[in-house]
Amino acid sequence: MRTLSLPLALTARISPVVVLAAAGWALTSGPATTPAAEKESAPQSAAESPSGTSTAAASKQYAAAPAPCGSIATATLKSLVPGAKTAGKEIPSTDTSLRRTCSWNALKGYDYRWLDVSFEITESDAAAAKSYKENTTEKSGGGSVPGVGDAGYSVVNLTTEDKQQTREGVVIIQASNALVTVTYNGSDFESKKAPSTDEINKGAIKAAKEAVAALESGQKA
């Protein structure tokens, strides 16, 4: 039997908690509190009217992130990540009501696949749209994903380390005040080639559509 040697980049990815922490998934404390003096002097806005129908509250459709490890169908997981435990592994979060992520990864023979599904709940549609724009601008070179959520974006990139190729697809979906992010990648350690762009892109989009469906069928605010 041949001894399998994983490239450093992929060896690091097998520790999802470390990778996620390095990616900066730290929960922010939220908007700064307005000083009392400013509250007294500032005129009352429409969003703060006694009627109780604030604009932000009205646009906050989702109150909490759904369980990410249950968001993808078993058949899809077996297809996208052959050999992985379908239960997945949820990544620790500082606030599970706002951010939740599940990971699946497996090496079957010489084929390696990795899938991440993340949910982020923001305070309003506007906040989600802003975050969506920032994230998609950083990941240039992709295209739109129509027919899912309010806005969708997909991008696929190829990297090579020690002559080993890895192809990674990222899909970002905005659905009201929620963001759904799917990361899917793969490598073949025998041929040192990566799966095709089409395979990775279609797999990431399929997972994203199922994740958004799970969000929409879950608890709403």
Side-chain angles (χ1 to χ4, degrees):
M1 180 179 293
R2 294 172 57 181
T3 302
L4 190 62
S5 177
L6 278 71
L8 293 177
L10 292 179
T11 302
R13 287 188 64 83
I14 298 179
S15 301
V17 175
V18 176
V19 173
L20 201 59
W25 275 72
L27 182 65
T28 59
S29 59
T33 304
T34 306
E38 291 182 16
K39 287 184 178 179
E40 292 175 1
S41 61
Q44 189 176 52
S45 67
E48 298 171 338
S49 64
S51 64
T53 56
S54 70
T55 302
S59 64
K60 188 173 182 179
Q61 185 173 2
Y62 299 104
C69 293
S71 64
I72 307 299
T74 298
T76 300
L77 291 171
K78 289 181 177 180
S79 173
L80 297 183
V81 195
K85 294 181 178 179
T86 55
K89 180 178 181 180
E90 184 161 358
I91 306 304
S93 171
T94 52
D95 190 338
T96 55
S97 67
L98 299 181
R99 286 186 177 89
R100 297 183 73 175
T101 299
C102 189
S103 289
W104 298 264
N105 64 84
L107 180 65
K108 187 173 183 179
Y110 293 97
D111 288 326
Y112 176 77
R113 295 292 184 276
W114 176 289
L115 175 68
D116 278 355
V117 175
S118 301
F119 295 93
E120 180 179 2
I121 305 300
T122 68
E123 62 184 9
S124 66
D125 289 18
K130 179 181 178 182
S131 182
Y132 172 85
K133 183 177 181 181
E134 291 173 348
N135 289 329
T136 55
T137 299
E138 290 177 0
K139 303 179 187 301
S140 61
S144 63
V145 179
V148 55
D150 297 313
Y153 180 81
S154 175
V155 63
V156 178
N157 289 307
L158 177 68
T159 59
T160 302
E161 182 176 333
D162 297 332
K163 298 182 180 180
Q164 173 65 61
Q165 294 182 345
T166 300
R167 184 166 272 115
E168 179 172 276
V170 177
V171 176
I172 304 172
I173 305 293
Q174 181 210 343
S176 297
N177 64 306
L179 288 174
V180 178
T181 302
V182 168
T183 303
Y184 180 50
N185 68 47
S187 300
D188 184 323
F189 294 126
E190 184 172 35
S191 67
K192 291 190 176 294
K193 300 295 184 181
S196 68
T197 297
D198 190 57
E199 177 184 342
I200 293 298
N201 190 48
K202 285 183 177 179
I205 291 174
K206 181 176 178 59
K209 288 181 176 180
E210 291 189 11
V212 172
L215 173 71
E216 293 173 345
S217 64
Q219 184 178 3
K220 297 182 180 181

